[in-house]
């Protein structure tokens, strides 16, 4: 069984790391938050003082941090993984962050030059599925390296998709979040129209959920989170805005005009500014209601 490392013990990473320990993998861990490291140690992991120390102890290193800049820091920064890679040992990095494809390709090229490899493997499914080890994992990178890492993916996920070469995992994750946010927004607009026309939006949601309007976004996001007033999907507004920003950069590279996705990005930007990065991303509908009707009568206080 390969010795593993894990860097980034936030809400998702901590649960993924715990599942790897429970599966019997020797696991070295690091996080800028010492308390998160201490909790992982209680689960059976071995805390390390830096990302470089994790890399020295591991054959396969998983990263799960919020942004592409953080991935760069973990690899290139002081005490970063790069400092540990001149010993001739082969290592694989699995980046489970939602990062930039360009970042994955740059670090991946360096890893291959050093005799190792890199997979961009952003995850989807939220805290609940991280807890149960049922995440979806979207992988870009070498096919043989992907197969080599399947035992690791089997512990933290239930559905795996190798979608192409390095960087394609992050591209697919960005596109997936265009769908996630865009679906919530169009459903919110339909419910606003229902309410303003005299149709109970909850009754309409029941109808749509059993007809052609049926979707995960309708059932698990708008009905479960927005209409209930919970706003607790556990995906933060700031992270959604970040992912949509990456998607806009990719659209520019591909020379595709992001008409609907661009609007979703702009609404997410405004909602992040109004409600803060830690707000649930489904609060985009609060801003839509305010803009479209001047009130906040359907989706609760703004």
């Amino acid at each position: 069984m390969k010795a593993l490392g894990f860097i980034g013990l936030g809400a998702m990473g901590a649960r993924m790391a715990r599942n790897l320990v429970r599966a019997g993998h020797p696991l070295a861990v690091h996080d800028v938050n010492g308390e998160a490291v201490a909790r992982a140690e209680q689960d059976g992991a071995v805390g390390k003082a830096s990302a470089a120390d994790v890399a020295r102890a591991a054959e396969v290193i998983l990263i799960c941090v919020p942004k592409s800049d953080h991935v760069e820091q973990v690899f290139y920064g002081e005490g970063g993984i790069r400092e540990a890679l001149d010993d001739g040992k082969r290592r694989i990095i699995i980046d489970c962050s939602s990062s930039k494809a360009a970042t994955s390709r740059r670090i991946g090229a360096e890893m291959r030059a050093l005799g190792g490899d890199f997979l961009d493997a952003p995850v989807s499914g939220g805290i609940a599925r991280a807890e149960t080890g049922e995440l979806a994992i979207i992988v870009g990178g070498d096919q043989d390296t992907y197969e080599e890492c399947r035992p690791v993916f089997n512990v933290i996920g239930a559905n795996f998709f190798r979608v192409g070469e390095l960087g394609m995992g992050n591209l697919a994750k960005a596109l997936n979040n265009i769908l996630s946010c865009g679906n919530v927004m169009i459903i919110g607009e339909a419910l606003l129209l229902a309410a303003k026309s005299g149709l109970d939006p909850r009754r309409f949601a029941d109808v749509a959920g059993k007809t052609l309007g049926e979707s995960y976004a309708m059932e698990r996001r708008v009905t479960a989170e927005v209409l209930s007033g919970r706003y607790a999907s556990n995906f933060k507004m700031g992270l959604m805005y970040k992912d949509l920003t990456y998607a806009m950069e990719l659209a520019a590279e591909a020379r595709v005009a992001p008409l609907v996705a661009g609007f979703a990005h702009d609404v997410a930007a405004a909602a992040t500014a109004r409600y803060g990065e830690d707000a649930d991303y489904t609060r985009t509908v609060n801003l839509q209601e305010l803009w479209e009707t001047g009130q906040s009568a359907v989706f609760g206080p703004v």
Side-chain angles (χ1 to χ4, degrees):
M1 187 169 284
K2 291 184 182 294
L4 303 183
F6 206 106
I7 300 165
L9 301 170
M12 297 287 288
R15 290 163 170 82
M16 295 160 67
R18 184 183 304 126
N19 287 334
L20 291 167
V21 171
R22 288 174 176 172
H25 286 280
L27 187 69
V29 300
H30 174 70
D31 192 279
V32 293
N33 182 343
E35 292 181 1
V37 174
R39 287 192 293 269
E41 289 176 325
Q42 291 175 354
D43 292 330
V46 178
K48 297 292 182 179
S50 68
D53 288 339
V54 169
R56 292 186 183 101
E59 300 168 83
V60 178
I61 306 146
L62 293 91
I63 302 173
C64 188
V65 292
K67 297 180 180 180
S68 189
D69 289 349
H70 299 142
V71 177
E72 298 250 8
Q73 182 66 28
V74 164
F75 189 80
Y76 291 111
E78 183 178 354
I81 291 171
R82 182 63 185 84
E83 294 180 7
L85 299 183
D86 291 323
D87 58 5
K89 295 181 181 179
R90 180 177 185 270
R91 296 178 178 84
I92 299 169
I93 294 177
I94 302 173
D95 183 19
C96 297
S97 317
S98 296
S99 186
K100 293 184 179 182
T103 298
S104 297
R105 292 178 184 130
R106 181 165 56 254
I107 298 176
E110 188 153 1
M111 287 297 295
R112 288 173 179 172
L114 291 165
D117 211 344
F118 185 101
L119 299 175
D120 58 308
V123 298
S124 182
I127 291 173
R129 290 183 183 175
E131 183 78 45
T132 60
E134 297 178 300
L135 291 166
I137 306 172
I138 311 165
V139 184
D142 178 73
Q143 177 71 43
D144 290 341
T145 303
Y146 167 71
E147 294 296 341
E148 186 178 352
C149 293
R150 282 291 293 268
V152 176
F153 294 141
N154 286 336
V155 174
I156 61 175
N159 296 289
F160 324 115
F161 311 90
R162 180 185 172 270
V163 294
E165 296 305 315
L166 196 58
M168 292 297 101
N170 283 322
L171 171 59
K173 178 64 185 293
L175 297 176
N176 193 56
N177 277 355
I178 288 175
L179 297 177
S180 178
C181 191
N183 281 340
V184 167
M185 288 171 55
I186 193 62
I187 292 167
E189 189 164 88
L191 295 181
L192 282 175
L193 178 57
K196 291 300 177 180
S197 301
L199 174 59
D200 185 330
R202 288 166 179 79
R203 290 188 177 181
F204 171 67
D206 289 340
V207 172
K210 298 296 185 294
T211 57
L212 291 178
E214 179 185 12
S215 68
Y216 183 93
M218 173 65 84
E219 178 184 354
R220 300 292 295 276
R221 291 296 179 256
V222 176
T223 299
E225 304 299 341
V226 174
L227 294 180
S228 71
R230 282 170 22 98
Y231 293 100
S233 75
N234 290 316
F235 193 73
K236 294 181 179 181
M237 187 80 74
L239 293 177
M240 177 60 80
Y241 173 50
K242 177 261 297 183
D243 287 348
L244 294 180
T245 299
Y246 291 168
M248 294 303 98
E249 293 174 2
L250 292 165
E253 290 175 13
R255 297 185 179 181
V256 172
L259 302 179
V260 177
F263 179 67
H265 169 266
D266 292 348
V267 173
T272 302
R274 184 177 182 90
Y275 303 117
E277 291 196 354
D278 290 337
D280 197 81
Y281 88 97
T282 54
R283 282 203 175 274
T284 51
V285 299
N286 292 137
L287 191 59
Q288 287 177 257
E289 180 176 14
L290 190 62
W291 283 353
E292 295 181 27
T293 71
Q295 303 177 43
S296 56
V298 178
F299 298 138
V302 295

